């Protein structure tokens, strides 16, 4: 079973930093796209950032200049470095793994990020 597994969430004060990691097990296929989404209470899940196998990146406007996504396609691993965190960044962060040829669109269980003011 293809399963993304996130780590690195936690509680941090505003202005602090966290680094999230996600590794995918259960497949030999390398990602076409991997990324991070987040969902705050009462809100819809939204894209935070993603990266393609060609290292193209895409960010939500709200995190540009503060968050950096990086990945290792050979290891099916992606990272999210989050700096200058704000209380509004508080959410459950989910890893997403996409392989077009296999029609994989898999989600991790999520990791909680809480930013206190």
């Amino acid at each position: 079973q293809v399963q993304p597994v996130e780590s690195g969430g936690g509680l941090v004060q505003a202005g602090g930093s966290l680094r999230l990691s996600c590794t995918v097990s259960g497949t030999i296929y390398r990602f076409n796209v991997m990324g991070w989404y987040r969902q705050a209470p009462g809100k819809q899940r939204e894209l935070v950032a993603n990266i393609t196998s060609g290292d193209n990146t895409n960010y939500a406007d709200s995190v540009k200049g503060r968050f950096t996504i990086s990945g290792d396609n050979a290891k099916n691993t992606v990272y999210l470095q989050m700096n200058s965190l704000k209380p509004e960044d508080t959410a459950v962060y989910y890893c997403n793994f996409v392989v077009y040829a296999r029609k994989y669109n898999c989600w991790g269980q999520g990791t909680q990020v809480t930013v206190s003011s």
Side-chain angles (χ1 to χ4, degrees):
Q1 182 179 0
V2 180
Q3 183 63 57
V5 178
E6 305 100 335
S7 62
L11 173 64
V12 65
Q13 288 188 332
S17 299
L18 283 174
R19 186 176 189 242
L20 305 183
S21 300
C22 176
T23 298
V24 178
S25 61
T27 181
I28 62 171
Y29 294 92
R30 300 179 182 181
F31 69 81
N32 294 121
V33 184
M34 273 188 80
W36 293 94
Y37 289 71
R38 66 186 181 187
Q39 188 167 18
K43 295 188 176 181
Q44 289 189 333
R45 190 173 297 189
E46 62 177 2
L47 173 69
V48 177
N50 60 23
I51 186 167
T52 70
S53 57
D55 284 337
N56 294 311
T57 58
N58 180 43
Y59 294 92
D61 288 343
S62 59
V63 306
K64 284 180 181 177
R66 300 188 297 123
F67 292 10
T68 302
I69 190 168
S70 60
D72 186 332
N73 186 250
K75 296 181 179 180
N76 275 341
T77 298
V78 65
Y79 307 96
L80 185 69
Q81 179 66 43
M82 304 185 293
N83 298 329
S84 302
L85 281 160
K86 304 175 181 180
E88 50 263 45
D89 295 317
T90 295
V92 177
Y93 284 68
Y94 296 92
C95 179
N96 178 244
F97 171 77
V98 175
V99 178
Y100 298 130
R102 301 294 295 176
K103 297 183 180 179
Y104 290 157
N105 184 12
C106 305
W107 296 90
Q109 294 296 308
T111 185
Q112 178 71 46
V113 171
T114 303
V115 184
S116 63
S117 57

